[in-house]
Amino acid sequence: MTLTPLRIAAVSALALAAALAMPASAADLNLTPAPAKAVRAEGTFKLSAATRIHVAKGDIEARGVANQFADLVRRSRGFRPAVVEGAPANGEAAIVLTREGPAGEAYKLDVSPKGVTIAAAQRAGLFYGAMSLWQLATPNEAKGPVAIPAATIEDAPRFAWRGLMVDSARHYQSIATLKATLDAMAAHKLNTFHWHLVDDQGWRLEIKKYPKLTQVGAWRTDPGAARVYPKYGGFYTQDQVRDLVAYAAARNITIVPEIETPGHALAPIVAYPELGSAPPDASKMGDWGVFPWLYNTDDATFAFLDDVLNEVMDLFPSTFIHVGGDEAIKDQWKASPKIQAKIKALGLKDEHELQSWFIQRVGKTLEKRGRRLIGWDEILEGGLAPNATVMSWRGVDGAIAAAKAGHDTVLSPHPTLYLDNRQSASPEEPTGRGKVVSLKDVHAFDPAPAQLTEDQRRHILGVQANVWTEHMQTDARMQAMAFPRAVALAERGWSPAAGADWADFARRLPAEMARLKVLGVTANTVPFEPQAAFTQGEGGKTRLALSTGLGIGEIRYTLDGKAPTAASTPYADALELPAGAAVKARAFLDGQALGRERSWIIAPSLLRTRLSAQLKLCTEKVPLTMIDDAPRAFEQRAMMVVDILNPCWIWEGADLTQGAVIRVRVSQIPFNFQVGADRDRIPLRAPATPGGELEVRAGCAGERLAAIPLGEASKNPGLSTITGRLPPRAGKVDLCLSFTAKSVDPFWTIERVTLTPANAFQ
């Protein structure tokens, strides 16, 4: 086994972490990730504008870290400590950075009333010690001097690779947003930024030798519009990339670029059709899913990839270069006589072995410059070069297979570490996939599979979460899906396994949310916030039940119109409230607010209306939270939850004793999903009117109660309201709602349903 620098760091870090593995002993040390060892001492250190930070003369790296710490203090506390060279004066209560400490990313932090010492042999350790000190100085959003609790902390990472992937190919993010994301990563000791720059929907990296990659491949028709709007896209210049790489390196973060091969290649093939195995269709660049376009295996194509990768390596000094390798549908290779002849000439068994040959040939370009290939776990199929590294996304099986075969691996399994899944069942969650992967789910993930021996586990370089942005149309939505779950991931990648403690992590969340706000990151607060459920109460009153998605802290509420505080009435059980009552509620943990205040005015409409997220999906094959198709800004569009392979919803337990008027807000969206044969299996009923109908049935296989024509709604790309009547039925009825249509394009969805008893109109 060859000990690469990264593996050496991983092995030594694991050994040190194991030696130090114990929970932090002080409950008031709000440090995340939790340190390997922390011992609370007596007293506090006062950090103020008069505090000075001392570094050794001529130590440029230490001075740089000191300045970064001072700048963060300015952002969070409103003052900036001075940075000076030389030892502090006798009796001066100062912060000192010294190289007389542990190696690698490890550090020792001593805080006492007389001063603070950050000790580490390398810059990385000094930096992480400074980040821990900044966290201790930022327990909330308050400004001014702060008393930092005295403590001794000895800390080192569990894994060497602690990563976050951001997909800039599906939706482009600004450099400012990426820098804020890097700031948040660094503050929580994540050290690898995997940058997904290339996919079917866009090529985001300027390549000087092939200008059409960005002139053509970086732009597409707006993927959320049934009408034609201006092209959407963008790309990063090489100067911007150099700046971002340097910005990340200053925060101990390595940027690992990803250039997808041989699949996910529609954008470059649209730019240069001669690279493809079949003619490209540029109109599909606004679609989502798995596409059939693959690079061909011509020598000219490999020359193109060599040129591209050499420019990539000029920009990114990372040891690893990610080459994709996932979801390469082989239909075009199977249909190409030229490629079939290539398989035969090379003596290969099939297209899987051809992909292995393709990936290994690309890897040789990287090897010539001392780089290492990393790819998704499909690169295991058909054989793998000895020094290739596997990023396991299809569960943990790929990582287990790779480690057992002697390959290094990074765990990044779907669905737990796929941050495009929503974080709670609340209808206010941002757009994304419909499966709930909560903050607690991420924190519960252990990156060391029990199926591996201790020696095999040494091949686990680390862990990574992925932010796939198909349905994250804005920078704010990308960050909201990433944070705070990336913070939970950071803890599992850094802290000793024996110290994993959800209750303790949850206790630190108010401080964490405050820090993310200081760093300019839009974190998702919805899972912490009170969510309401309304049912019919006694004597005409409405019964209000409150809960939070994560069950953290306690809910406090008011009925007098005032904002709830930590001293307001604690919620204990459902409230019986008359019409017109005003309720305000907020979640608190240890007296600190978590998330936004929520409010409701009690009215009959609360009982009668359900958003699509509050309806039950008939199936959950591919559930998504999507936006409507109106030509407005992404931020303003209504969200709808739908299974794209079976658009069907259920209102459970509807009361039709008196009959009802049903009002449904609907929208049509282009069916821009590459789902192969699954498209033909989407259930469709023939329409009776030109625009189709919304059918309402008593159970999905039961009697049809109404067929409401879509009519003028079929001409509207935004939200429309359609109305119908439902006949009286005894007992509770599960109403099943689905659309008739000649085809799945346009694709109809429900935004909300209102059921009003028929006697309410009499």
Side-chain angles (χ1 to χ4, degrees), residues 514-601:
R515 291 169 192 146
L516 290 171
K517 187 175 180 180
V518 167
L519 294 170
V521 168
T522 303
N524 187 12
T525 61
V526 171
F528 307 122
E529 296 166 0
Q531 302 297 324
F534 301 96
T535 54
Q536 188 67 55
E538 298 291 334
K541 291 185 176 181
T542 296
R543 186 177 178 86
L544 167 62
L546 297 175
S547 62
T548 64
L550 286 167
I552 294 173
E554 60 181 356
I555 298 172
R556 301 271 178 164
Y557 71 94
T558 64
L559 299 174
D560 59 4
K562 295 181 180 179
T565 69
S568 298
T569 304
Y571 173 81
D573 201 355
L575 307 174
E576 297 273 349
L577 299 168
V583 185
K584 293 186 176 182
R586 197 170 190 181
F588 292 86
L589 180 61
D590 293 336
Q592 298 186 65
L594 266 179
R596 301 165 299 176
E597 171 192 301
R598 306 302 310 279
S599 63
W600 304 270
I601 303 295

Side-chain angles (χ1 to χ4, degrees), residues 119-425:
Q122 270 76 52
R123 184 191 186 281
L126 285 178
F127 180 81
Y128 287 140
M131 291 303 98
S132 289
L133 183 60
W134 177 73
Q135 285 198 8
L136 291 175
T138 313
N140 48 48
E141 296 181 51
K143 298 291 185 180
V146 59
I148 299 175
T152 297
I153 296 167
E154 297 176 53
D155 207 6
R158 182 185 181 195
F159 292 104
W161 184 303
R162 305 179 302 280
L164 181 70
M165 187 218 76
V166 172
D167 169 14
S168 295
R170 274 52 177 269
H171 284 290
Y172 172 91
Q173 300 89 31
S174 71
I175 291 292
T177 292
L178 295 178
K179 285 184 174 180
T181 301
L182 291 170
D183 285 344
M185 290 175 61
H188 297 94
K189 302 181 178 68
L190 291 169
N191 68 353
T192 305
F193 180 74
H194 173 181
W195 201 4
H196 190 78
L197 288 161
V198 175
D199 216 298
D200 296 299
Q201 292 81 13
W203 183 288
R204 300 283 173 238
L205 177 63
E206 178 188 24
I207 300 295
K208 299 288 189 182
K209 192 165 184 177
Y210 299 97
K212 287 197 292 185
L213 286 173
T214 48
Q215 291 171 356
V216 176
W219 306 94
R220 64 175 185 260
T221 301
D222 183 342
R227 307 295 185 261
V228 177
Y229 297 109
K231 286 189 175 182
Y232 169 88
F235 65 92
Y236 304 99
T237 68
Q238 293 197 359
D239 285 343
Q240 287 177 313
V241 169
R242 291 187 188 95
D243 174 65
L244 196 68
V245 167
Y247 190 89
R251 287 150 182 81
N252 200 48
I253 295 173
T254 298
I255 299 184
V256 175
E258 181 178 359
I259 305 298
E260 279 272 12
T261 61
H264 287 288
L266 177 57
I269 294 172
V270 166
Y272 294 97
E274 64 272 19
L275 300 172
S277 302
D281 183 350
S283 70
K284 300 300 183 184
M285 285 178 63
D287 287 3
W288 310 122
V290 182
F291 291 24
W293 285 277
L294 272 63
Y295 286 114
N296 62 41
T297 57
D298 295 347
D299 288 342
T301 297
F302 286 105
F304 162 83
L305 291 171
D306 287 350
D307 292 338
V308 167
L309 289 171
N310 275 300
E311 288 199 36
V312 168
M313 288 185 282
D314 288 342
L315 293 168
F316 296 94
S318 56
T319 298
F320 288 93
I321 304 294
H322 205 297
V323 299
D326 62 313
E327 298 179 326
I329 297 175
K330 309 297 193 299
D331 293 352
Q332 292 181 359
W333 280 2
K334 291 176 181 178
S336 168
K338 189 174 183 179
I339 288 179
Q340 290 302 306
K342 186 79 169 184
I343 292 173
K344 185 176 181 180
L346 292 170
L348 303 176
K349 182 173 64 175
D350 56 19
E351 292 78 19
H352 291 294
E353 287 195 357
L354 180 64
Q355 176 169 328
S356 174
W357 171 83
F358 190 108
I359 294 292
Q360 292 191 47
R361 181 162 174 175
V362 170
K364 291 176 182 177
T365 301
L366 306 180
E367 290 176 9
K368 290 176 183 177
R369 295 186 56 174
R371 308 300 184 90
R372 292 184 61 185
L373 179 149
I374 185 170
W376 303 109
D377 54 60
E378 284 96 329
I379 66 174
L380 284 165
E381 299 168 2
L384 186 59
N387 65 341
T389 299
V390 174
M391 184 167 281
S392 181
W393 76 274
R394 295 179 297 181
V396 299
D397 291 346
I400 293 170
K404 287 183 176 180
H407 293 288
D408 289 345
T409 185
V410 176
L411 278 83
S412 188
H414 173 275
T416 306
L417 298 187
Y418 268 46
L419 304 188
D420 52 344
N421 290 289
R422 59 180 173 164
Q423 299 176 62
S424 74

Side-chain angles (χ1 to χ4, degrees), residues 461-517:
L461 298 182
V463 64
Q464 176 176 294
N466 299 326
V467 189
W468 297 105
T469 64
E470 286 97 331
H471 307 290
M472 301 174 204
Q473 301 86 354
T474 67
D475 289 17
R477 284 184 180 168
M478 182 278 287
Q479 288 187 334
M481 294 298 273
F483 295 97
R485 287 184 293 187
V487 177
L489 182 279
E491 177 143 305
R492 295 318 308 263
W494 179 278
S495 303
D501 186 334
W502 165 251
D504 184 60
F505 177 82
R507 174 190 64 80
R508 291 175 262 134
L509 281 169
E512 279 311 304
M513 298 302 285
R515 291 169 192 146
L516 290 171
K517 187 175 180 180

Side-chain angles (χ1 to χ4, degrees), residues 63-87:
R63 188 180 184 94
V65 169
N67 280 315
Q68 288 175 304
F69 171 77
D71 288 339
L72 282 173
V73 171
R74 177 187 54 77
R75 291 175 68 176
S76 61
R77 308 305 308 186
F79 60 85
R80 190 183 191 281
V83 177
V84 297
E85 292 189 351

